């Protein structure tokens, strides 16, 4: 009888030398909690088999069983991820040498920690629907925020720190169970997965982080001219001539990175209100967006500026609201508010969404020229009127304060249309009770300079749809033809709320409690919800928001794992 297979786990340490000699391991497999506290559900496996190996790990815990296969060096530590909280697991580790020989160690036991118990320390998740057989396979990553209700300029410094000085990225399995999370030191904006398997995300203090699946920072970039102290990380990489980097980061097929970067200019005789055309004018500091392309060392490779191509006096609703005030730029106005980029390798072009211009703009990367503009046909210069797309077909609704465009494999454009205001200054706008948000898909015919609405999740106000007045995300899912939609903000659709942050006679939409949800719609049918999870505080003390997210086939970088 092999003593190494018959002993209990409690005796393993006392006979480890005999087991090592008998099993062929120079150092027996050992599993411990991830030393990085930012990802507490992960574990790390180490061992030494004396030669290069592939590692096969049979995992069982609760009702779950799966196999992980990794090719990395086990002496440096192998990440074990996909584990649920407060669960006892059993691991059987087999090392497969290059010559085909196998070494199997006695089973290892490990128990994951529980989720943080405090109010506001972890998002309250409520799984409403899950139909794994009809869903896109994989894991859902979400960037989640907490917020104290109230208008930004009314919050106390402590309330602002509570809201902005915390962030979390959560990964859910097809049943909506938490299997991983990253506890950030700052509110997290857009997140994406790089081709090397690491995560890339912006934070609201003008930093971008690349982290591995154990939460270790690989690279940190920051806007060199941001109004904050230098990052604590001495290896952080500055992006020069940038006051901000913000919203959704993007890795290009060339291995470079694209980002929105809002930068200020002093504009004389500028608007002081987007609600009152008769308001006095004054000199103003105004934030307008550049698109910057940079490499891993922070070198600028390409730049396109709204200041050079658009009219700064074409303003939008929310020009004067406190978006940049609470991000280190007091008294700065928000002219363009870029919030998402997409790169099209078919013709080397870039699509940017400008929320406060209520416009999606395509740019030729080589020439810098605007190819087309998808947006309401008002207030554009004579030259840019030639770039406007003409809508064809019904139903069709212009986008208003939309968010984050993405290309599908067929070349259509998917984005989250927040639907805020549904008007341009200084025309009357829709109040919250009269509007709705939606995911919308457009097909552009560049030869005809036309645009057609292919699909929308909603075409009218219903009790089911959310009014997400900010943020939002949408993905087309390639294996199922489903859509993954993040409604960043849902509310009770109370009557009498105002959109105007400076109308103190009414409650504003940020003054009331709200929640968030992520949905997967099956096969382009908005009535077919195959996955739905809400993030909602049932005590109605905190607002919870999901900035965005994505679905990825595996927790591990493909194709090194089977799960």
């Amino acid at each position: 009888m092999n003593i190494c297979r018959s002993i209990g786990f409690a005796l393993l340490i006392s006979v480890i030398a005999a087991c090592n000699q008998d099993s062929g391991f120079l150092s027996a497999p050992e599993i411990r909690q991830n030393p990085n506290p930012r990802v507490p559900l992960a574990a790390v496996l180490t061992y030494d088999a004396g030669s290069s190996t592939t590692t096969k790990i049979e995992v069982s815990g609760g009702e779950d069983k799966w196999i992980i296969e990794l090719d990395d060096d086990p002496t440096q530590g192998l990440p074990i991820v996909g584990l649920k909280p407060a669960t006892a697991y059993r691991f059987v580790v087999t090392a497969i040498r290059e010559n085909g020989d196998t070494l199997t160690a006695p089973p290892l036991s490990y128990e994951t920690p529980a989720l943080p118990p405090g109010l506001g320390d972890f998002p309250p998740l409520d799984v409403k629907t899950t139909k794994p057989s009809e869903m896109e396979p994989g894991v859902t990553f979400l960037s989640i925020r907490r917020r104290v209700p109230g208008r930004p300029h009314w919050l106390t410094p402590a309330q602002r720190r509570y809201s902005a000085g915390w962030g979390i990225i959560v990964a859910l399995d097809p049943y909506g169970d938490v299997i991983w999370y990253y506890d950030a030191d700052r509110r997290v904006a857009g997140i994406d997965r790089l081709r090397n398997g690491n995560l890339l995300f912006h934070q609201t203090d003008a930093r971008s982080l690349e982290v591995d699946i154990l939460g270790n920072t690989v690279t940190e970039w920051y806007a060199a001219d941001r109004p904050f102290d230098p990052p604590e990380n001495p290896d952080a990489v500055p992006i020069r001539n940038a006051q901000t980097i913000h919203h959704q980061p993007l890795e290009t097929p060339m291995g470079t990175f694209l980002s929105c970067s809002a930068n200020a200019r002093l504009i004389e005789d500028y608007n002081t209100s987007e609600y009152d055309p008769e308001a006095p004018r004054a000199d103003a500091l105004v934030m307008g967006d550049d698109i910057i392309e940079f490499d891993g060392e922070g070198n600028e490779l390409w730049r396109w500026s709204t200041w050079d191509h658009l009219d700064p006096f074409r303003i939008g609703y929310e020009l004067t609201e406190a978006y940049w005030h609470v991000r280190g730029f007091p008294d700065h106005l928000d002219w363009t508010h870029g919030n998402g980029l997409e790169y099209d390798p078919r013709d080397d072009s870039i699509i940017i969404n400008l929320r406060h211009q209520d416009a999606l703009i395509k740019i030729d990367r080589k020439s810098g020229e605007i190819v087309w503009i998808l947006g309401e046909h008002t207030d554009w210069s004579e030259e840019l009127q030639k770039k406007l797309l003409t809508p064809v077909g019904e139903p069709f609704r212009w986008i208003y304060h939309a968010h984050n465009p993405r290309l599908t494999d067929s070349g259509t454009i998917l984005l989250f249309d927040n639907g805020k205001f549904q008007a341009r200054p200084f025309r009357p706008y829709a109040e919250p009770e009269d509007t709705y948000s939606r995911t919308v898909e457009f097909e552009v015919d560049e030869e005809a300079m036309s645009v057609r609405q292919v699909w929308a999740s909603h075409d009218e106000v219903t009790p089911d749809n959310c009014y997400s007045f900010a943020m939002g995300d949408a993905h087309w899912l390639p294996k199922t033809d489903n859509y993954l939609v993040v409604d960043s903000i849902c509310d009770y659709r109370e009557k009498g709320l105002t959109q105007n942050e400076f109308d103190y006679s009414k409650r504003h939409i940020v003054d009331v409690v709200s929640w968030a949800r992520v949905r997967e719609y099956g096969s382009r049918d908005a009535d077919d919800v195959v996955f739905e999870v809400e993030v909602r505080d049932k005590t109605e003390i905190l607002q919870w928001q999901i900035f965005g997210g994505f679905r990825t086939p595996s927790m591990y970088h493909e194709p090194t794992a089977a799960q």
Side-chain angles (χ1 to χ4, degrees):
M1 183 173 70
N2 188 331
I3 186 175
C4 295
R5 295 184 181 274
S6 61
I7 61 173
F9 178 76
L11 300 178
L12 179 60
I13 299 302
S14 63
V15 295
I16 192 169
C19 288
N20 288 349
Q21 183 177 7
D22 185 53
S23 68
F25 286 100
L26 300 182
S27 175
E30 178 184 2
I31 192 162
R32 67 187 190 281
Q33 185 176 8
N34 179 20
N36 187 337
R38 295 206 180 279
V39 182
L41 291 185
V44 177
L45 170 70
T46 56
Y47 70 87
D48 187 354
S51 66
S52 178
T53 61
T54 294
T55 303
K56 177 181 175 182
I57 309 160
E58 299 174 55
V59 185
S60 58
E63 298 179 355
D64 301 324
K65 293 182 180 180
W66 71 94
I67 294 174
I68 302 171
E69 294 184 1
L70 300 170
D71 292 325
D72 297 323
D73 182 0
T75 65
Q76 301 301 309
L78 300 176
I80 309 300
V81 293
L83 308 177
K84 295 178 182 179
T87 302
Y89 283 95
R90 181 178 183 269
F91 302 92
V92 176
V93 178
T94 299
I96 306 170
R97 288 174 168 160
E98 288 180 317
N99 62 6
D101 292 345
T102 62
L103 306 173
T104 300
L108 301 174
S109 297
Y110 179 76
E111 185 167 345
T112 52
L115 296 177
L119 175 67
D121 291 336
F122 196 84
L125 301 167
D126 185 3
V127 180
K128 296 294 187 182
T129 302
T130 176
K131 302 176 182 178
S133 64
E134 301 175 40
M135 293 167 54
E136 184 84 3
V139 178
T140 305
F141 280 78
L142 300 172
S143 165
I144 301 178
R145 302 173 167 194
R146 69 185 184 195
R147 189 182 185 280
V148 177
R151 305 180 202 202
H153 55 279
W154 283 354
L155 299 183
T156 68
Q159 288 174 321
R160 290 177 185 169
R161 287 193 297 271
Y162 181 82
S163 298
W166 179 91
I168 200 165
I169 302 172
V170 175
L172 306 179
D173 71 7
Y175 297 94
D177 293 324
V178 176
I179 57 172
W180 183 95
Y181 69 93
Y182 175 91
D183 192 356
D185 62 354
R186 188 81 180 178
R187 177 181 283 179
V188 177
I191 57 174
D192 204 357
R193 194 163 200 183
L194 300 176
R195 289 180 296 170
N196 63 12
N198 292 337
L199 295 179
L200 175 68
F201 56 89
H202 281 328
Q203 294 192 278
T204 53
D205 56 353
R207 285 185 299 148
S208 293
L209 295 182
E210 177 189 353
V211 301
D212 65 21
I213 203 65
L214 293 177
N216 303 309
T217 298
V218 178
T219 310
E220 178 178 347
W221 298 271
Y222 68 99
D225 299 331
R226 68 180 195 154
F228 305 107
D229 292 333
E232 295 181 3
N233 179 3
D235 297 322
V237 178
I239 301 174
R240 295 172 181 82
N241 302 316
Q243 289 181 294
T244 67
I245 46 177
H246 61 90
H247 281 85
Q248 180 72 39
L250 178 68
E251 181 185 29
T252 72
M254 298 84 74
T256 60
F257 304 95
L258 290 172
S259 178
C260 293
S261 175
N263 299 283
R265 292 192 184 184
L266 178 65
I267 305 296
E268 297 179 352
D269 194 34
Y270 202 68
N271 297 79
T272 60
S273 172
E274 64 271 42
Y275 299 99
D276 180 7
E278 303 302 322
R281 302 173 76 86
D283 297 350
L285 288 167
V286 180
M287 297 293 275
D289 275 286
D290 295 353
I291 306 170
I292 56 173
E293 181 183 7
F294 58 95
D295 62 17
E297 288 71 46
N299 299 308
E300 181 183 309
L301 306 176
W302 183 84
R303 181 182 290 254
W304 185 91
S305 179
T306 56
W307 293 108
D308 299 333
H309 295 272
L310 303 180
D311 177 7
F313 290 94
R314 186 184 189 271
I315 64 169
Y317 280 116
E318 295 191 296
L319 169 77
T320 59
E321 294 193 2
Y323 182 83
W324 289 113
H325 303 195
V326 298
R327 289 164 174 79
F329 296 91
D331 302 319
H332 285 57
L333 303 184
D334 194 2
W335 167 43
T336 54
H337 197 107
N339 60 23
L341 299 162
E342 181 66 295
Y343 175 75
D344 191 344
R346 296 173 303 172
D347 58 3
D348 193 25
S349 63
I350 294 170
I351 298 172
I352 183 172
N353 187 73
L354 300 176
R355 173 180 167 91
H356 292 181
Q357 294 292 297
D358 296 309
L360 201 62
I361 299 177
K362 179 173 179 175
I363 301 150
D364 180 80
R365 186 165 164 270
K366 291 186 177 65
S367 67
E369 295 298 314
I370 292 175
V371 179
W372 50 251
I373 300 172
L374 195 168
E376 185 184 309
H377 292 192
T378 54
D379 306 324
W380 297 99
S381 68
E382 182 177 351
E383 180 63 28
L384 291 181
Q385 287 177 23
K386 304 172 187 176
K387 308 290 187 178
L388 297 172
L389 297 175
T390 300
V392 295
E394 293 291 342
F396 186 92
R397 187 182 86 169
W398 290 118
I399 57 174
Y400 292 97
H401 277 45
H403 203 265
N404 210 7
R406 300 183 188 276
L407 285 169
T408 70
D409 281 2
S410 62
T412 58
I413 302 166
L414 193 70
L415 77 162
F416 189 89
D417 176 19
N418 300 79
K420 191 171 188 181
F421 296 105
Q422 294 194 41
R424 299 281 307 152
F426 293 93
R427 302 200 316 272
Y429 55 84
E431 292 291 7
E433 64 197 76
D434 299 319
T435 188
Y436 61 93
S437 302
R438 61 181 183 156
T439 293
V440 61
E441 183 178 4
F442 292 112
E443 181 180 59
V444 173
D445 184 336
E446 292 188 3
E447 290 188 6
M449 288 296 285
S450 66
V451 57
R452 182 171 64 90
Q453 182 175 305
V454 176
W455 181 82
S457 59
H458 301 91
D459 281 310
E460 61 182 354
V461 177
T462 71
D464 179 63
N465 54 34
C466 288
Y467 173 46
S468 184
F469 55 83
M471 300 173 285
D473 205 357
H475 293 261
W476 171 74
L477 303 175
K479 291 188 177 181
T480 54
D481 201 29
N482 291 355
Y483 294 97
L484 184 71
V485 175
V486 173
D487 291 300
S488 297
I489 301 168
C490 298
D491 57 36
Y492 290 104
R493 306 191 71 85
E494 295 184 27
K495 293 185 179 297
L497 296 179
T498 181
Q499 306 262 37
N500 184 349
E501 194 174 277
F502 305 105
D503 181 356
Y504 301 135
S505 68
K506 299 178 181 178
R507 288 201 299 173
H508 187 261
I509 44 181
V510 298
D511 296 333
V512 299
V513 175
S514 60
W515 67 94
R517 75 180 181 197
V518 56
R519 270 185 173 179
E520 183 177 344
Y521 295 100
S523 300
R524 300 175 180 263
D525 185 350
D527 293 325
D528 181 16
V529 178
V530 299
F531 180 72
E532 180 175 348
V533 176
E534 287 185 351
V535 186
R536 184 195 294 235
D537 179 7
K538 294 182 179 179
T539 68
E540 299 187 355
I541 294 174
L542 293 176
Q543 295 173 343
W544 286 95
Q545 303 169 346
I546 307 174
F547 186 94
F550 60 86
R551 178 75 50 78
T552 186
S554 168
M555 288 295 297
Y556 288 92
H557 179 42
E558 295 288 298
T560 57
Q563 182 171 349

